[in-house]
PDB file of all heavy atoms in Angstrom:
ATOM      1  N   CYS A 706      91.920  43.891  -7.925  1.00  0.00           N
ATOM      2  CA  CYS A 706      90.910  42.847  -8.106  1.00  0.00           C
ATOM      3  C   CYS A 706      91.587  41.546  -8.542  1.00  0.00           C
ATOM      4  O   CYS A 706      92.808  41.481  -8.680  1.00  0.00           O
ATOM      5  CB  CYS A 706      89.871  43.294  -9.140  1.00  0.00           C
ATOM      6  SG  CYS A 706      90.482  43.165 -10.831  1.00  0.00           S
ATOM      7  N   THR A 707      90.798  40.537  -8.830  1.00  0.00           N
ATOM      8  CA  THR A 707      91.356  39.236  -9.187  1.00  0.00           C
ATOM      9  C   THR A 707      92.162  39.283 -10.489  1.00  0.00           C
ATOM     10  O   THR A 707      93.246  38.712 -10.594  1.00  0.00           O
ATOM     11  CB  THR A 707      90.223  38.201  -9.319  1.00  0.00           C
ATOM     12  OG1 THR A 707      89.537  38.166  -8.070  1.00  0.00           O
ATOM     13  CG2 THR A 707      90.746  36.829  -9.657  1.00  0.00           C
ATOM     14  N   GLY A 708      91.615  39.941 -11.506  1.00  0.00           N
ATOM     15  CA  GLY A 708      92.351  40.118 -12.757  1.00  0.00           C
ATOM     16  C   GLY A 708      92.469  38.851 -13.601  1.00  0.00           C
ATOM     17  O   GLY A 708      91.843  37.825 -13.330  1.00  0.00           O
ATOM     18  N   ILE A 709      93.313  38.925 -14.611  1.00  0.00           N
ATOM     19  CA  ILE A 709      93.324  37.911 -15.670  1.00  0.00           C
ATOM     20  C   ILE A 709      93.849  36.556 -15.205  1.00  0.00           C
ATOM     21  O   ILE A 709      93.635  35.534 -15.865  1.00  0.00           O
ATOM     22  CB  ILE A 709      94.148  38.423 -16.880  1.00  0.00           C
ATOM     23  CG1 ILE A 709      93.612  37.810 -18.180  1.00  0.00           C
ATOM     24  CG2 ILE A 709      95.632  38.105 -16.732  1.00  0.00           C
ATOM     25  CD1 ILE A 709      94.074  38.548 -19.414  1.00  0.00           C
ATOM     26  N   CYS A 712      90.086  35.574 -13.520  1.00  0.00           N
ATOM     27  CA  CYS A 712      88.749  36.112 -13.843  1.00  0.00           C
ATOM     28  C   CYS A 712      88.486  36.085 -15.344  1.00  0.00           C
ATOM     29  O   CYS A 712      89.285  36.605 -16.134  1.00  0.00           O
ATOM     30  CB  CYS A 712      88.627  37.545 -13.321  1.00  0.00           C
ATOM     31  SG  CYS A 712      87.054  38.282 -13.751  1.00  0.00           S
ATOM     32  N   LYS A 713      87.332  35.534 -15.727  1.00  0.00           N
ATOM     33  CA  LYS A 713      87.004  35.385 -17.148  1.00  0.00           C
ATOM     34  C   LYS A 713      86.670  36.720 -17.816  1.00  0.00           C
ATOM     35  O   LYS A 713      86.697  36.828 -19.032  1.00  0.00           O
ATOM     36  CB  LYS A 713      85.823  34.422 -17.320  1.00  0.00           C
ATOM     37  CG  LYS A 713      86.191  32.991 -17.022  1.00  0.00           C
ATOM     38  CD  LYS A 713      85.034  32.063 -17.282  1.00  0.00           C
ATOM     39  CE  LYS A 713      83.865  32.433 -16.386  1.00  0.00           C
ATOM     40  NZ  LYS A 713      82.701  31.580 -16.593  1.00  0.00           N
ATOM     41  N   LEU A 714      86.331  37.728 -17.029  1.00  0.00           N
ATOM     42  CA  LEU A 714      85.976  39.016 -17.613  1.00  0.00           C
ATOM     43  C   LEU A 714      87.193  39.925 -17.787  1.00  0.00           C
ATOM     44  O   LEU A 714      87.104  40.985 -18.391  1.00  0.00           O
ATOM     45  CB  LEU A 714      84.944  39.724 -16.735  1.00  0.00           C
ATOM     46  CG  LEU A 714      83.643  38.945 -16.504  1.00  0.00           C
ATOM     47  CD1 LEU A 714      82.710  39.722 -15.583  1.00  0.00           C
ATOM     48  CD2 LEU A 714      82.938  38.676 -17.824  1.00  0.00           C
ATOM     49  N   ALA A 715      88.303  39.504 -17.231  1.00  0.00           N
ATOM     50  CA  ALA A 715      89.469  40.396 -17.186  1.00  0.00           C
ATOM     51  C   ALA A 715      90.068  40.629 -18.565  1.00  0.00           C
ATOM     52  O   ALA A 715      90.049  39.758 -19.430  1.00  0.00           O
ATOM     53  CB  ALA A 715      90.520  39.811 -16.259  1.00  0.00           C
ATOM     54  N   ILE A 716      90.618  41.820 -18.715  1.00  0.00           N
ATOM     55  CA  ILE A 716      91.362  42.163 -19.927  1.00  0.00           C
ATOM     56  C   ILE A 716      92.854  42.228 -19.613  1.00  0.00           C
ATOM     57  O   ILE A 716      93.689  41.993 -20.466  1.00  0.00           O
ATOM     58  CB  ILE A 716      90.849  43.509 -20.491  1.00  0.00           C
ATOM     59  CG1 ILE A 716      89.345  43.380 -20.808  1.00  0.00           C
ATOM     60  CG2 ILE A 716      91.605  43.930 -21.738  1.00  0.00           C
ATOM     61  CD1 ILE A 716      88.642  44.698 -21.015  1.00  0.00           C
ATOM     62  N   VAL A 717      93.170  42.528 -18.341  1.00  0.00           N
ATOM     63  CA  VAL A 717      94.592  42.634 -17.988  1.00  0.00           C
ATOM     64  C   VAL A 717      94.868  41.934 -16.660  1.00  0.00           C
ATOM     65  O   VAL A 717      93.968  41.663 -15.867  1.00  0.00           O
ATOM     66  CB  VAL A 717      95.055  44.112 -17.890  1.00  0.00           C
ATOM     67  CG1 VAL A 717      94.710  44.884 -19.142  1.00  0.00           C
ATOM     68  CG2 VAL A 717      94.473  44.794 -16.669  1.00  0.00           C
ATOM     69  N   THR A 719      96.349  41.915 -12.844  1.00  0.00           N
ATOM     70  CA  THR A 719      96.301  42.968 -11.816  1.00  0.00           C
ATOM     71  C   THR A 719      97.132  42.656 -10.573  1.00  0.00           C
ATOM     72  O   THR A 719      97.930  43.472 -10.147  1.00  0.00           O
ATOM     73  CB  THR A 719      94.841  43.196 -11.365  1.00  0.00           C
ATOM     74  OG1 THR A 719      94.270  41.926 -11.034  1.00  0.00           O
ATOM     75  CG2 THR A 719      94.026  43.868 -12.437  1.00  0.00           C
ATOM     76  N   ASN A 746      92.125  47.490 -11.491  1.00  0.00           N
ATOM     77  CA  ASN A 746      90.988  46.677 -11.915  1.00  0.00           C
ATOM     78  C   ASN A 746      91.265  46.096 -13.289  1.00  0.00           C
ATOM     79  O   ASN A 746      91.753  46.791 -14.176  1.00  0.00           O
ATOM     80  CB  ASN A 746      89.719  47.536 -11.985  1.00  0.00           C
ATOM     81  CG  ASN A 746      89.296  47.984 -10.608  1.00  0.00           C
ATOM     82  OD1 ASN A 746      88.516  47.322  -9.948  1.00  0.00           O
ATOM     83  ND2 ASN A 746      89.834  49.113 -10.157  1.00  0.00           N
ATOM     84  N   GLY A 747      90.892  44.836 -13.458  1.00  0.00           N
ATOM     85  CA  GLY A 747      91.203  44.156 -14.704  1.00  0.00           C
ATOM     86  C   GLY A 747      90.243  44.449 -15.843  1.00  0.00           C
ATOM     87  O   GLY A 747      90.492  44.042 -16.986  1.00  0.00           O
ATOM     88  N   CYS A 748      89.134  45.142 -15.561  1.00  0.00           N
ATOM     89  CA  CYS A 748      88.147  45.458 -16.602  1.00  0.00           C
ATOM     90  C   CYS A 748      87.246  46.581 -16.073  1.00  0.00           C
ATOM     91  O   CYS A 748      87.409  47.015 -14.939  1.00  0.00           O
ATOM     92  CB  CYS A 748      87.346  44.204 -16.974  1.00  0.00           C
ATOM     93  SG  CYS A 748      86.004  43.803 -15.843  1.00  0.00           S
ATOM     94  N   PRO A 749      86.241  47.023 -16.845  1.00  0.00           N
ATOM     95  CA  PRO A 749      85.408  48.140 -16.369  1.00  0.00           C
ATOM     96  C   PRO A 749      84.515  47.813 -15.171  1.00  0.00           C
ATOM     97  O   PRO A 749      83.881  48.715 -14.610  1.00  0.00           O
ATOM     98  CB  PRO A 749      84.538  48.483 -17.596  1.00  0.00           C
ATOM     99  CG  PRO A 749      85.256  47.927 -18.756  1.00  0.00           C
ATOM    100  CD  PRO A 749      85.967  46.711 -18.261  1.00  0.00           C
ATOM    101  N   ASN A 750      84.447  46.549 -14.756  1.00  0.00           N
ATOM    102  CA  ASN A 750      83.503  46.230 -13.684  1.00  0.00           C
ATOM    103  C   ASN A 750      83.868  46.804 -12.326  1.00  0.00           C
ATOM    104  O   ASN A 750      83.055  46.803 -11.412  1.00  0.00           O
ATOM    105  CB  ASN A 750      83.318  44.719 -13.573  1.00  0.00           C
ATOM    106  CG  ASN A 750      82.359  44.224 -14.629  1.00  0.00           C
ATOM    107  OD1 ASN A 750      81.413  44.926 -14.976  1.00  0.00           O
ATOM    108  ND2 ASN A 750      82.603  43.049 -15.170  1.00  0.00           N
ATOM    109  N   ALA A 751      85.071  47.266 -12.148  1.00  0.00           N
ATOM    110  CA  ALA A 751      85.444  48.053 -10.967  1.00  0.00           C
ATOM    111  C   ALA A 751      85.261  47.298  -9.654  1.00  0.00           C
ATOM    112  O   ALA A 751      84.865  47.880  -8.651  1.00  0.00           O
ATOM    113  CB  ALA A 751      84.647  49.369 -10.941  1.00  0.00           C
ATOM    114  N   CYS A 752      85.563  46.000  -9.647  1.00  0.00           N
ATOM    115  CA  CYS A 752      85.431  45.249  -8.394  1.00  0.00           C
ATOM    116  C   CYS A 752      86.321  45.847  -7.307  1.00  0.00           C
ATOM    117  O   CYS A 752      85.986  45.790  -6.124  1.00  0.00           O
ATOM    118  CB  CYS A 752      85.767  43.778  -8.612  1.00  0.00           C
ATOM    119  SG  CYS A 752      84.570  42.961  -9.680  1.00  0.00           S
ATOM    120  N   ALA A 753      87.460  46.385  -7.679  1.00  0.00           N
ATOM    121  CA  ALA A 753      88.325  47.038  -6.689  1.00  0.00           C
ATOM    122  C   ALA A 753      88.118  48.557  -6.702  1.00  0.00           C
ATOM    123  O   ALA A 753      89.048  49.328  -6.459  1.00  0.00           O
ATOM    124  CB  ALA A 753      89.788  46.673  -6.912  1.00  0.00           C
TER     125      ALA A 753
HETATM  126 FE1  SF4 B 289      87.179  40.431 -12.912  1.00  0.00          FE
HETATM  127 FE2  SF4 B 289      86.792  42.864 -13.915  1.00  0.00          FE
HETATM  128 FE3  SF4 B 289      86.001  42.340 -11.398  1.00  0.00          FE
HETATM  129 FE4  SF4 B 289      88.585  42.500 -11.942  1.00  0.00          FE
HETATM  130  S1  SF4 B 289      87.094  44.206 -12.107  1.00  0.00           S
HETATM  131  S2  SF4 B 289      87.600  40.867 -10.742  1.00  0.00           S
HETATM  132  S3  SF4 B 289      88.690  41.688 -13.995  1.00  0.00           S
HETATM  133  S4  SF4 B 289      85.183  41.420 -13.275  1.00  0.00           S
END
Side-chain angles (χ1 to χ4, degrees):
C706 77
T707 302
I709 209 163
C712 177
K713 289 183 299 179
L714 302 178
I716 301 165
V717 307
T719 51
N746 292 269
C748 81
N750 280 325
C752 294

